[in-house]
Amino acid sequence: MDYQLIRSNRKTLALVVTREGKLEVRAPKRISRQEIDRFVESRRGWALRHQEQARQRMAERPVLRYEIGGRLPFLGREYPVLAGEKAGFSAEGFRVREDRPIEPQLIRLFRELARKELAGRIERYAHRVGVRPSGLRITSASTRFGSCSGKNSLSFSYKLIWAAEELVDYVVVHELCHIRQHNHSAAFWQEVEAVLPDYRLREQALREFGRVYF
């Protein structure tokens, strides 16, 4: 089986199927290629099954059309991309200038909307959690919705605001709770549950959203 080999200081072998359905083997630096090949072959059935699942998910992903006439998500709803005198967003949809590259305008809009939406939601929930983040950063991450640094600064992917509002709120509360608990211990989940008693349902829905858009 074809795979990408990634060697590091780790102590064990691991087989990973990427979002695109490719195989990665993560291996200790000194282990032989022959042993790696045997390891991969012993997990052939698992790998083929998960590769097929990954291909199906990729086939089901919506095509995001960054063009006039396309439709793009915002807070769980889709809005049309329209021509306008300047870039902006309203209840009618996303407006962009036709005389400039359209995708960069839309990404800039998403980042601006994300900063505004997330700042407001952080303000709303921070006092309920009993914390105050040291900063807010909007990223283009495609592998994680949000994160909390060791210095309690929060980062969120602008793509998070494609999700429904209750899922955005869940990610915000999740990261705010990490300011109190920098782990996923029982104490951390108690913090989350105190603010969002239905967090398990939101977490499951977020996973489904992530399979589609991330």
Side-chain angles (χ1 to χ4, degrees), residues 12 18 29 31 33 93 116 118:
T12 59
T18 69
K29 289 182 177 179
I31 196 168
R33 192 64 178 252
K116 179 180 178 181
L118 292 166

Side-chain angles (χ1 to χ4, degrees), residues 12-29:
T12 59
L13 284 166
L15 186 61
V16 175
V17 176
T18 69
R19 181 176 61 181
E20 295 77 20
K22 296 180 181 180
L23 283 184
E24 289 181 356
V25 177
R26 298 170 186 175
K29 289 182 177 179

Side-chain angles (χ1 to χ4, degrees), residues 107-176:
I107 291 176
R108 187 161 52 250
L109 269 178
F110 277 129
R111 294 179 73 95
E112 292 171 357
L113 288 167
R115 179 167 291 280
K116 179 180 178 181
E117 283 291 327
L118 292 166
R121 291 166 195 274
I122 289 170
E123 186 67 27
R124 184 184 314 162
Y125 285 105
H127 75 280
R128 293 180 61 182
V129 179
V131 297
R132 176 62 58 184
S134 61
L136 169 62
R137 191 165 69 97
I138 304 301
T139 74
S140 300
S142 293
T143 56
R144 61 195 309 178
F145 303 108
S147 63
C148 175
S149 75
K151 295 183 178 180
N152 298 331
S153 178
L154 304 186
S155 297
F156 297 94
S157 171
Y158 74 78
K159 299 173 186 177
L160 174 60
I161 62 165
W162 295 347
E165 293 191 58
E166 62 269 21
L167 305 187
V168 178
D169 286 344
Y170 166 68
V171 176
V172 168
V173 170
H174 185 112
E175 300 307 333
L176 285 169

